[in-house]
Amino acid sequence: GYASQLIGTAFMIFLGIGTATSVRVAEHVGRGNQLGVRESSHLGIAATVVSGIVLGAMILVFREQLASALVNRSAEVGGVLIWAGLVSVLWLAALATTFDGLQATASMALRAQGVIWLPTGIHIASFFALMLPMGYHLGLTLQRGAQGMLEGAAIALFVASMLQVLVLEWKTARPSSPERAVS
């Protein structure tokens, strides 16, 4: 749960990038400027990747301080120190952060183009059909605990982000006609 809070906090930055991307994409859609749609989509994806790498690196570098801000170093449950456990899984939160941002930004850019159901289907499949069973299997069946659950989440976020970006690339790859390439 604590690792998810860090991912969720980073996600707020990605919501801003995704919203800005969707506004720019929608402006170009309204103008009939397919080149602008493609460039705005690519800019949003690039900003998300750069931000994700920076945020992920910050989580890695400051994992002990972040863990200390969330839980007391001596707190334990069932004889297990929570702080140490949290520090040991924050690399997965750092990894998941970029993919979480990518799936959000790409799906928002798609929705700005009127593609609604495909991103929704990708989210449902990735999170309900993939993340929940994987988290259960890795975390509980294989007894990997929080690490297994975060591994399941990271894998599902990777799949969701790659699918959303591929669909976005497919949607924006259509060549624009010269009369539509006006800003």
Side-chain angles (χ1 to χ4, degrees):
Y2 290 122
S4 295
Q5 288 178 8
L6 289 175
I7 295 169
T9 301
F11 188 74
M12 296 303 117
I13 292 168
F14 299 126
L15 279 179
I17 293 170
T19 301
T21 300
S22 69
V23 168
R24 296 290 298 157
V25 168
E27 284 178 340
H28 291 293
V29 167
R31 293 179 184 157
N33 181 356
Q34 186 61 29
L35 178 61
V37 169
R38 185 172 40 250
E39 289 175 347
S40 295
S41 296
H42 287 167
L43 180 60
I45 295 298
T48 298
V49 169
V50 170
S51 298
I53 290 169
V54 169
L55 290 167
M58 289 175 64
I59 290 171
L60 284 175
V61 169
F62 297 109
R63 66 185 174 272
E64 291 184 6
Q65 292 85 349
L66 290 167
S68 293
L70 294 169
V71 67
N72 188 310
R73 283 182 182 249
S74 61
E76 61 178 76
V77 173
V80 176
L81 288 173
I82 298 171
W83 183 88
L86 178 57
V87 169
S88 73
V89 297
L90 283 183
W91 69 273
L92 285 163
L95 179 67
T97 296
T98 300
F99 299 124
D100 197 20
L102 274 176
Q103 62 85 23
T105 299
S107 69
M108 291 173 87
L110 284 164
R111 289 182 176 109
Q113 297 175 70
V115 180
I116 307 301
W117 290 108
L118 193 51
T120 301
I122 290 170
H123 281 129
I124 290 169
S126 297
F127 300 132
F128 290 103
L130 185 60
M131 184 172 67
L132 290 176
M134 286 188 70
Y136 182 86
H137 178 70
L138 294 168
L140 299 175
T141 304
L142 296 181
Q143 298 180 353
R144 296 173 60 83
Q147 180 171 332
M149 290 186 183
L150 279 170
E151 289 166 349
I155 292 167
L157 285 165
F158 172 78
V159 169
S161 67
M162 292 301 106
L163 290 174
Q164 299 284 17
V165 169
L166 286 172
V167 172
L168 180 61
E169 283 299 308
W170 165 77
K171 174 70 173 140
T172 61
R174 291 181 265 168
S176 60
S177 58
E179 69 274 5
R180 300 183 120 199
V182 178
S183 294

